[in-house]
Amino acid sequence: MARKILITGAASGIGKATVERLRAAGDDVIGVDLRNADIEADLGTPEGRAHMIEQAVRLSGGMLDGVLAGAGISNWDRPRETIAINFFGAIATLEGLRPMLAKSSRARAVGICSTSLMLPGNAEVVETLLAGDENAAMDQAAAAPATTYFDTKRALALWIRRMAQRPEWAGAGILLNGVGPGVIATPMTVPLFSQPEMIDALARSNPMAVTDYAGPDEVAELIGFLLGFENHYLLGQIIFIDGGTDAIMRPDMV
């Protein structure tokens, strides 16, 4: 039976690949993005988040089987927007749509994290993000922007781990997990591959045991599984899909 799934970041990269995979499988998918989507909304603003939820209720009939919080940016020179979209936009998506997921008999939710959460970051920013203070987190990131992307992805992973076990999530039958892609060949990253200094930096920050970077379809395959699996035991996990980066960088962590 077709499942009703909402995906943010649906117009490009991993989100677009996931939309295409799920629609090909017969699912009813609602795509959200700034443009070229079923719902056009800026998840970096409170107004855009509220519009997304309002339209999701209208288009879904008030019930969803799955949600992917996939919208994100990696612009190093836009720390405020990175805070707003990558963390608070994702949380607004997951929390705002949770009541609709609770109406499904097999609800699943996924957030896109990143292997960058393993890199040294700003613990103060992460703490402020988890405390829910958007304006303060923006100010902190603007003052020291170098690790903002890492910080948002680490905070999102921690939020997923902490929320997944709670009564309003697992207790309501909504199984929440995250994926941690390594370097993926998407429109966001492909321009980096033409810069020798960036290729060298990526090799140091994201060492791999395989020879080639993955495309978005490979991540979409994992997300498709997490949005549709039938067992009731998988929750609160951040599953890395990274060509071996996690195993190389943290071989003693299990």
Side-chain angles (χ1 to χ4, degrees):
M1 184 177 296
R3 289 168 58 76
K4 194 174 297 184
I5 297 171
L6 182 142
I7 293 174
T8 69
S12 64
I14 294 170
K16 181 179 179 181
T18 305
V19 170
E20 293 171 349
R21 171 176 283 270
L22 295 180
R23 284 180 175 164
D27 290 321
D28 180 6
V29 181
I30 300 169
V32 181
D33 215 308
L34 273 173
R35 57 190 65 86
N36 301 320
D38 302 299
I39 300 173
E40 295 186 346
D42 182 358
L43 298 183
T45 68
E47 297 78 14
R49 298 162 194 162
H51 176 70
M52 182 269 293
I53 294 168
E54 175 187 332
Q55 292 303 306
V57 172
R58 182 180 69 83
L59 292 176
S60 71
M63 189 278 288
L64 290 167
D65 297 298
V67 169
L68 170 66
I73 63 173
S74 65
N75 301 62
W76 309 108
D77 59 343
R78 295 169 59 192
R80 292 182 178 275
E81 292 92 334
T82 300
I83 291 287
I85 297 169
N86 289 13
F87 185 77
F88 290 99
I91 302 310
T93 298
L94 294 167
E95 282 288 9
L97 301 178
R98 181 170 51 80
M100 284 181 268
L101 288 168
K103 297 178 182 179
S104 172
S105 61
R106 182 161 55 91
R108 307 289 182 260
V110 178
I112 295 185
C113 305
S114 168
T115 53
S116 68
L117 63 84
M118 304 177 207
L119 300 174
N122 188 324
E124 184 179 3
V125 172
V126 172
E127 290 177 6
T128 304
L129 289 168
L130 291 170
D133 192 333
E134 185 166 0
N135 289 329
M138 285 182 175
D139 290 343
Q140 290 172 339
T147 64
T148 302
Y149 180 79
F150 310 160
D151 299 332
T152 58
K153 293 302 184 178
R154 179 167 178 75
L156 179 58
L158 290 170
W159 187 92
I160 288 170
R161 295 275 288 169
R162 295 174 184 181
M163 292 296 116
Q165 60 187 289
R166 295 174 64 98
E168 63 267 33
W169 286 94
I174 309 168
L175 302 188
L176 171 65
N177 292 284
V179 296
V183 180
I184 308 298
T186 69
M188 190 167 69
T189 58
V190 165
L192 302 178
F193 301 157
S194 63
Q195 305 172 33
E197 67 278 10
M198 288 305 302
I199 293 174
D200 183 59
L202 289 171
R204 293 195 307 272
S205 63
N206 291 266
M208 299 193 308
V210 297
T211 56
D212 297 315
Y213 294 120
D217 289 346
E218 296 191 51
V219 185
E221 180 182 7
L222 174 58
I223 292 170
F225 166 74
L226 290 174
L227 289 172
F229 68 90
E230 296 183 6
N231 78 71
H232 78 293
Y233 236 40
L234 177 59
L235 70 148
Q237 301 302 305
I238 309 300
I239 302 174
F240 291 104
I241 176 165
D242 59 9
T245 300
D246 181 36
I248 294 168
M249 294 181 67
R250 308 191 298 182
D252 296 324
M253 291 190 67
V254 295

